[in-house]
């Protein structure tokens, strides 16, 4: 990717590419937009996932830009490399008209292998075509995927099979629960820097012996297991701090909600849509997808921006989050709700909206990156755009109410036109 002035981390609008920077500015500089117009803008900016992926595959393999040709090309690569793409999965990606599909890290890895993308091309593919975050070196499995994408010249068509063997080994050797006495404050940026530097060195080390390269990868994963665990626990601690525990200068969401509304959050979660349905008079901090079931039944397709790989809408299970990590979408939603309640009076003042937008964007990204080891907000991603537009374009409307309106409008008419 070509470097631009906006690709400077010191810039508060740090994001990949000039287009992203321009999009951020366009969101921020419009003081007030009705929710239905904001939703229309999001839908207009999003080319359906199947069209984006089909066009990319067609260009990569020099085949006709059709779902049939793209599926045939992926199937050929799947059979040769043992990738195991199912017909149902290929149909979901290439023929179903969905606005967003947040594919798993494993599926992203397999696509990169099928398309014969090197590391730089893979990052570009994730951001510009899939419009989702690139693999995260702070997660052991994803660090292994990055290693094997870079190692395709060495491993050839056996790359995926070798990766599966390493991940099976990793699952057998990893402890079920975090081991050791962890400090009160995990150094996620420091852990990330160490992991990233070692992974870069591992990739740069030339080798002509696949078995030797894999042994070095195993040594790297085993030695850094405490750091991978530390980043995951740092995100969990941050999640709990903003939700229920509080910290220096941070009043937890449960307290903010009760003080602001006089109401108590449900014990299950702040995202559980069932609670809103039981008590429709309650202020809708709970945003959920109350209309999703009906939408799917009547339309037979899912244009859902809230993919389950991105955010978990069912009851929160902290034990699961400790084992698997906090989903990035849940963290974004929590930071959004916390920011809105903490700044409710200032958000009601029209004149301060632009500075609040910058504050939300910068502080949220700082928390995501530094405390949680996650990727920053990406405004070209429709999921992230929901939150950014709710802060920037809601005018005198409560941004939480505005977000719920966006979602209600989406499920009511998002794909009917």
């Amino acid at each position: 990717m070509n470097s631009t002035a906006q690709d400077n981390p010191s810039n508060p609008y740090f994001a990949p590419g000039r287009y992203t920077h321009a999009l951020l500015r366009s969101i921020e500089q419009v003081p007030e937009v009705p929710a239905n117009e904001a939703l229309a803008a999001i839908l207009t900016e999003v080319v359906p996932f199947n069209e984006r992926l089909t066009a990319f595959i067609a260009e990569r393999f020099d085949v006709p830009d059709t779902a049939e040709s793209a599926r045939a090309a992926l199937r050929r690569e799947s059979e040769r490399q043992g990738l195991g793409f199912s017909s149902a999965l290929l149909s979901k990606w290439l023929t179903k008209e969905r606005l967003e599909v947040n594919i798993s890290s494993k599926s992203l890895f397999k696509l990169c292998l099928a398309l014969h993308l090197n590391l730089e091309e893979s990052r570009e593919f994730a951001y510009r075509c899939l419009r989702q975050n690139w693999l995260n070196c702070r997660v052991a499995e994803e660090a292994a995927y990055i290693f094997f994408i870079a190692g395709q010249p060495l491993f050839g068509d056996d790359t995926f099979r070798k990766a599966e063997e390493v991940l099976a080994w990793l699952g057998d050797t990893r402890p079920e629960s975090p081991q050791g006495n962890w400090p009160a404050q995990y150094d996620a940026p420091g852990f990330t820097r160490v992991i990233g530097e070692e992974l870069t060195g591992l990739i740069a080390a030339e080798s002509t012996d696949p078995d030797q390269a894999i042994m070095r990868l195993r040594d790297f994963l085993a030695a850094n297991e405490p750091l991978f665990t530390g980043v995951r626990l740092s995100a969990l601690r941050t999640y709990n701090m903003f939700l229920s525990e509080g910290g220096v200068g941070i009043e937890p969401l449960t307290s903010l909600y009760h003080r602001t509304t006089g109401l108590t959050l449900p014990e299950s979660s702040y995202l559980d849509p069932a609670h809103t349905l039981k008590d429709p008079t309650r202020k809708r901090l709970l945003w959920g997808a109350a209309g999703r079931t009906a939408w799917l039944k009547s339309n037979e397709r899912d244009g859902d921006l809230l993919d389950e790989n991105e955010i978990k809408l069912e009851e929160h299970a902290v034990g699961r989050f400790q084992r698997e990590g906090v989903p990035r979408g849940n963290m974004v939603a929590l930071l959004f709700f916390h920011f809105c309640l903490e700044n409710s009076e200032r958000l009601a003042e029209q004149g301060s909206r632009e500075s609040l937008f910058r504050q939300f964007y910068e502080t949220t990204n700082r928390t995501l990156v530094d405390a949680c080891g996650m990727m920053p907000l990406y405004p070209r991603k429709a999921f992230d755009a929901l939150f950014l537009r709710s802060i920037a374009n809601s005018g005198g409307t409560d941004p939480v109410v505005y977000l719920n309106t966006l979602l209600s409008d989406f499920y009511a008419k998002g794909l009917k036109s």
Side-chain angles (χ1 to χ4, degrees), residues 10 25 31 36 38 67 70-71 76 83 91 105 124 136-137 139 159 178 188-189 218 220 228 270 326-328 370 400:
S10 65
R25 295 298 298 172
N36 62 334
R71 180 160 43 192
R76 284 194 299 272
L83 301 176
S91 177
S105 59
E124 190 85 357
N136 190 339
C137 73
V139 179
T159 300
R218 287 188 176 189
F220 161 79
F228 291 125
Y270 57 91
V326 177
R328 175 183 176 276
D370 290 349
V400 176

Side-chain angles (χ1 to χ4, degrees), residues 200-214:
T200 299
L202 193 66
I203 291 171
E206 295 185 5
S207 177
T208 58
D209 185 342
D211 292 335
Q212 187 180 63
I214 287 176

Side-chain angles (χ1 to χ4, degrees), residues 127-384:
Y127 277 115
R128 292 188 181 274
C129 178
L130 305 182
R131 293 187 183 175
Q132 72 176 60
N133 296 315
W134 168 236
L135 296 169
N136 190 339
C137 73
R138 309 162 186 93
V139 179
E141 288 82 359
E142 296 187 22
Y145 291 150
I146 293 171
F147 172 85
F148 279 105
I149 288 174
Q152 290 177 85
L154 177 62
F155 298 107
D157 288 344
D158 285 332
T159 300
F160 180 69
R161 285 183 280 267
K162 293 297 184 181
E164 288 284 88
E165 291 174 5
V166 169
L167 294 182
W169 166 85
L170 182 64
D172 291 339
T173 58
R174 173 184 288 159
E176 292 186 3
S177 59
Q179 303 293 315
N181 298 317
W182 293 96
Q185 184 63 46
Y186 307 113
D187 182 16
F191 292 167
T192 299
R193 185 166 53 252
V194 171
I195 293 170
E197 289 176 353
E198 291 192 12
L199 181 59
T200 299
L202 193 66
I203 291 171
E206 295 185 5
S207 177
T208 58
D209 185 342
D211 292 335
Q212 187 180 63
I214 287 176
M215 286 304 300
R216 288 203 301 266
L217 174 63
R218 287 188 176 189
D219 290 343
F220 161 79
L221 294 172
N224 286 291
E225 175 59 27
L227 302 190
F228 291 125
T229 301
V231 173
R232 186 171 72 251
L233 294 184
S234 177
L236 180 62
R237 177 177 174 80
T238 303
Y239 179 89
N240 290 335
M241 179 170 62
F242 277 92
L243 175 61
S244 58
E245 295 177 1
V248 178
I250 297 175
E251 183 178 358
L253 182 65
T254 51
S255 173
L256 276 171
Y257 190 57
H258 187 269
R259 180 166 59 80
T260 304
T261 67
L263 301 172
T264 302
L265 283 173
E267 294 180 0
S268 57
S269 79
Y270 57 91
L271 293 175
D272 182 3
H275 185 83
T276 303
L277 297 178
K278 291 177 182 176
D279 184 3
T281 63
R282 181 181 289 267
K283 178 180 172 64
R284 287 194 67 184
L285 176 63
L286 314 171
W287 59 316
R292 182 179 181 217
T293 302
W295 170 264
L296 290 173
K297 184 176 180 180
S298 62
N299 289 273
E300 297 182 352
R301 59 182 182 180
D302 188 1
D304 194 354
L305 300 178
L306 310 178
D307 193 284
E308 290 184 358
N309 288 329
E310 182 73 33
I311 191 168
K312 301 295 184 184
L313 286 172
E314 69 271 18
E315 294 184 3
H316 288 192
V318 175
R320 184 189 62 202
F321 284 2
Q322 182 167 344
R323 294 189 304 272
E324 302 175 6
V326 177
R328 175 183 176 276
N330 289 67
M331 197 69 233
V332 170
L334 175 58
L335 294 173
F336 170 83
F337 292 139
H338 189 277
F339 182 86
C340 290
L341 289 180
E342 189 177 42
N343 297 280
S344 56
E345 294 183 2
R346 292 177 64 202
L347 284 166
E349 300 172 3
Q350 185 69 279
S352 63
R353 185 58 60 102
E354 186 171 325
S355 63
L356 282 168
F357 175 81
R358 289 195 299 270
Q359 181 183 341
F360 171 72
Y361 184 74
E362 294 167 14
T363 57
T364 298
N365 283 347
R366 196 157 45 240
T367 303
L368 289 173
V369 174
D370 290 349
C372 303
M374 297 172 179
M375 297 299 292
L377 291 170
Y378 187 34
R380 294 189 71 186
K381 183 178 178 62
F383 176 87
D384 291 0

